[in-house]
């Protein structure tokens, strides 16, 4: 989860910075709308993309199992209950629930207002006539206006054109999308900047339509200035005077050449390439397990979670070693060890995980493990945290098997496998050095 948040937030920040730098001040509003929405979707999807550039097979020496020969270095301390973890998730769940309720409440409020007030059809929109003093604003295909002003024909045609553009281009869907993301990732401040950029782009699009229709920019600007002090701003609606700033007025008179627009669009490609290479490329350790000193290994985890895409990459990188096309014939091993500088390092390897190889390793681990069919094993974790009390109990129950009195001469193996009903089951075994 942490990796997802870091990668997605970093991508959002880079693409938003690119938008502010290259696109926001240019008159290419339809592309900008597509860019902002795509940037959000791409940022959320990128953490799930993995490009493997190189992999190497684990080579286990003959006669040595996947348990290291020095189990006194395999450590698993009893983990205390992490209350901060549960408190943090509880706070997140409460805040998210509150925001979801507010989101649903705001949507239903617009729907309710459209149903309890009288309405009038206008082109492909519905005018909802309200008693309160409001500026025209849009939600889905509803345009909310003041009844008295509408009946007195005091609402200018330019304002209707503006709001009809929001309806025709379905700008509300963009706002609902970003609002939904904010209810889930409310802690990410970048989403608030994205929402503001998206809404401002909507106003650029609506302003552009009005200017093209009336061909009188000065009149339209003065009209907007007259309306700035009227009515409230609704966060989930398209509002006429949203962000009525110098940016909007400048944009009304700005032009961007076709050549410049093409050049700016092409500038996205290098940024996307760098992001993919930086965040998605996964270069697996090139050395084998035998290159890691046994005394430095802390834990060794075997996980049966290999996708077809990973298998295809394995076979492409090293077809002589990885011959099988079936993902079920492979496993991923994670090794935690200390390097030459004493730093704790995690590295991953892929191994050919055939039934015969698993059977050999299985027999070397423990007699008790032989009761589990090799092809049913899904993961295997090796730890070292055996107490004197556990050793005494082992020797008492099976004195012929467990000879040593020293807890450092024992390790614990946790095995996950599927039982006869296909359910994932976990078992623990004690092994003696």
């Amino acid at each position: 989860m942490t990796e997802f948040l870091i990668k997605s937030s970093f991508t959002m920040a880079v693409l938003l910075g690119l938008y502010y730098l290259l696109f926001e001040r240019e008159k290419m509003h339809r592309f900008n709308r597509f860019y902002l929405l795509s940037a959000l979707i791409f940022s959320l999807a990128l953490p799930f993309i993995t490009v493997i550039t190189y992999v190497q097979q684990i080579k286990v020496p003959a006669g040595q199992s996947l348990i290291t020969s020095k189990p006194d270095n395999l450590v698993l301390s009893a983990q205390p209950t992490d209350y901060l973890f549960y408190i943090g998730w509880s706070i997140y769940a409460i805040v998210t629930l509150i925001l979801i309720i507010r989101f649903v409440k705001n949507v239903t409020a617009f729907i309710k207002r459209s149903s309890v007030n009288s309405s009038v059809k206008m082109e492909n929109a519905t005018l909802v006539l309200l008693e309160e003093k409001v500026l025209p604003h849009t939600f889905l295909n509803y345009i909310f206006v003041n009844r008295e002003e509408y009946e007195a024909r005091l609402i200018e045609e330019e304002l209707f054109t503006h709001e009809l553009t929001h309806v025709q281009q379905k700008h509300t869907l963009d706002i609902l999308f970003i609002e939904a993301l904010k209810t889930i990732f409310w802690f990410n401040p970048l989403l608030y900047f994205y929402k503001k950029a998206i809404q401002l782009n909507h106003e650029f699009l609506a302003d552009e339509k009005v200017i093209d229709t009336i061909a009188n920019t000065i009149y339209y600007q003065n009209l907007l200035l007259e309306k700035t002090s009227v009515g409230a701003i609704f966060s989930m609606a398209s509002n006429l005077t949203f962000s009525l700033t110098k940016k909007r007025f400048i944009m009304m008179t700005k032009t961007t050449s076709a050549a410049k627009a093409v050049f700016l669009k092409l500038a996205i490609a290098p940024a996307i390439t760098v992001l993919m290479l930086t965040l998605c490329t996964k270069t697996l350790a090139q050395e084998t397990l035998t290159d890691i000193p046994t005394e430095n290994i802390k834990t060794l985890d075997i996980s049966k979670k290999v996708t077809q895409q990973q298998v295809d990459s394995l076979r492409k990188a090293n077809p002589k070693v990885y011959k099988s096309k079936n993902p079920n014939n492979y496993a991923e091993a994670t090794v935690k060890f200390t390097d030459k500088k004493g730093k704790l390092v995690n590295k991953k390897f892929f191994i050919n995980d055939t039934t015969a190889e698993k059977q050999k390793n299985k027999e070397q681990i423990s007699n008790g493990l032989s009761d589990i069919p090799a092809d049913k094993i899904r993961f295997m974790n090796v730890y070292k945290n055996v107490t004197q009390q556990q050793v005494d109990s082992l020797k008492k129950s099976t004195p012929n098997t467990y000879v040593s009195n020293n807890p450092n001469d024992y390790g614990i193996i946790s095995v996950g496998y599927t039982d006869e009903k296909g359910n994932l089951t976990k078992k623990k075994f004690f092994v003696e050095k």
Side-chain angles (χ1 to χ4, degrees):
M1 185 64 177
T2 301
E3 182 181 3
F4 167 81
L5 293 176
I6 292 174
K7 287 185 177 181
S8 62
S9 298
F10 179 76
T11 306
M12 283 184 193
V14 170
L15 295 179
L16 184 62
L18 197 64
Y19 173 78
Y20 286 142
L21 181 65
L22 300 179
F23 305 123
E24 186 189 38
R25 295 185 296 273
E26 301 300 329
K27 199 164 187 176
M28 39 197 295
H29 309 317
R30 288 169 180 78
F31 171 80
N32 286 352
R33 181 189 182 189
F34 168 79
Y35 175 88
L36 288 168
L37 295 175
S38 299
L40 286 171
I41 296 171
F42 178 74
S43 299
L44 295 174
L46 182 133
F48 299 102
I49 302 172
T50 301
V51 179
I52 299 175
T53 57
Y54 185 84
V55 290
Q56 179 62 48
Q57 183 187 28
I58 288 182
K59 295 179 180 178
V60 181
Q64 179 180 336
S65 71
L66 288 177
I67 300 178
T68 62
S69 60
K70 295 188 178 182
D72 53 301
N73 289 310
L74 300 178
V75 179
L76 177 63
S77 58
Q79 296 295 322
T81 303
D82 189 354
Y83 292 106
L84 288 177
F85 173 82
Y86 293 106
I87 291 173
W89 273 104
S90 298
I91 293 173
Y92 170 79
I94 292 171
V95 174
T96 302
L97 180 61
I98 292 173
L99 292 177
I100 290 175
I101 293 173
R102 189 183 73 171
F103 176 79
V104 174
K105 184 178 179 181
N106 288 339
V107 172
T108 54
F110 278 109
I111 297 175
K112 182 178 179 180
R113 291 174 76 197
S114 64
S115 61
V116 299
N117 291 280
S118 57
S119 60
V120 178
K121 282 289 183 181
M122 174 179 278
E123 297 185 18
N124 58 342
T126 300
L127 294 181
V128 180
L129 308 180
L130 305 178
E131 299 300 330
E132 61 263 35
K133 191 75 171 178
V134 294
L135 268 179
H137 56 278
T138 302
F139 181 82
L140 295 176
N141 64 327
Y142 298 105
I143 300 176
F144 299 87
V145 298
N146 176 260
R147 173 196 291 273
E148 183 178 346
E149 290 181 349
Y150 173 75
E151 293 177 346
R153 300 183 181 278
L154 297 177
I155 302 176
E156 292 80 356
E157 286 298 321
E158 292 77 13
L159 303 189
F160 282 128
T161 301
H162 184 103
E163 298 306 317
L164 283 170
T165 303
H166 289 312
V167 172
Q168 293 162 357
Q169 298 184 6
K170 303 185 185 304
H171 292 167
T172 303
L173 297 181
D174 300 357
I175 298 176
L176 289 176
F177 173 64
I178 189 68
E179 285 289 342
L181 290 181
K182 282 171 57 182
T183 62
I184 301 173
F185 304 105
W186 48 266
F187 49 84
N188 188 339
L190 290 169
L191 292 177
Y192 298 85
F193 289 100
Y194 267 93
K195 181 185 176 183
K196 185 175 181 180
I198 288 171
Q199 287 183 296
L200 181 58
N201 179 254
H202 289 170
E203 297 310 308
F204 288 161
L205 285 163
D207 291 340
E208 181 181 48
K209 179 65 175 178
V210 175
I211 297 300
D212 290 344
T213 302
I214 66 173
N216 191 336
T217 304
I218 300 300
Y219 168 75
Y220 180 59
Q221 290 176 338
N222 290 330
L223 178 61
L224 292 178
L225 288 172
E226 290 176 7
K227 304 295 182 179
T228 54
S229 61
V230 182
I233 298 296
F234 299 90
S235 64
M236 294 183 66
S238 295
N239 299 270
L240 178 71
T241 58
F242 170 82
S243 188
L244 189 57
T245 63
K246 187 178 179 180
K247 286 183 179 179
R248 281 180 68 181
F249 283 2
I250 292 175
M251 191 59 67
M252 292 178 194
T253 58
K254 190 175 181 64
T255 58
T256 298
S257 66
K260 185 178 182 180
V262 171
F263 175 78
L264 292 174
K265 292 173 185 178
L266 291 176
I268 300 174
I272 297 298
T273 302
V274 171
L275 285 170
M276 294 284 289
L277 291 175
T278 304
L279 302 178
C280 298
T281 303
K282 186 176 182 182
T283 304
L284 300 181
Q286 298 181 6
E287 70 267 35
T288 65
L289 184 59
T290 54
D291 296 323
I292 302 172
T294 303
E295 61 272 14
N296 292 354
I297 296 178
K298 300 302 179 185
T299 60
L300 176 61
D301 300 340
I302 307 296
S303 176
K304 187 71 175 177
K305 293 180 179 178
V306 182
T307 66
Q308 187 65 57
Q309 181 182 1
Q310 289 173 317
V311 171
D312 294 340
S313 297
L314 288 169
R315 288 170 49 77
K316 184 177 180 180
N318 201 338
K320 293 182 179 180
V321 174
Y322 303 101
K323 299 178 181 180
S324 176
K325 296 181 180 180
N326 189 351
N328 294 326
N329 289 336
Y330 297 91
E332 187 177 61
T334 302
V335 183
K336 183 181 290 185
F337 64 97
T338 52
D339 60 15
K340 295 180 180 179
K341 296 181 180 180
K343 182 180 178 182
L344 192 63
V345 179
N346 281 322
K347 288 198 175 181
K348 291 186 178 181
F349 305 85
F350 283 98
I351 58 175
N352 282 311
D353 193 34
T354 62
T355 301
E357 290 170 333
K358 279 203 293 191
Q359 181 66 28
K360 182 178 72 173
N361 292 327
K362 180 188 67 174
E363 291 172 356
Q364 293 171 344
I365 292 173
S366 170
N367 292 332
L369 198 54
S370 63
D371 296 331
I372 302 173
D375 59 342
K376 299 296 183 182
I377 295 176
R378 292 296 174 262
F379 66 83
M380 187 184 304
N381 299 327
V382 185
Y383 309 119
K384 175 63 185 176
N385 187 38
V386 182
T387 65
Q388 186 64 56
Q389 183 180 359
Q390 288 174 317
V391 171
D392 294 340
S393 178
L394 287 170
K395 288 177 61 61
K396 184 178 180 180
S397 61
T398 320
N400 295 330
T401 302
Y402 301 100
V403 179
S404 175
N405 292 316
N406 188 350
N408 293 326
D409 289 336
Y410 295 90
I412 301 175
I413 301 173
S414 176
V415 179
Y417 64 95
T418 52
D419 58 19
E420 295 177 354
K421 296 181 179 180
N423 298 321
L424 183 63
T425 305
K426 296 181 181 179
K427 281 190 177 182
K428 287 186 178 180
F429 302 87
F430 288 89
V431 292
E432 188 176 4
K433 181 179 177 181

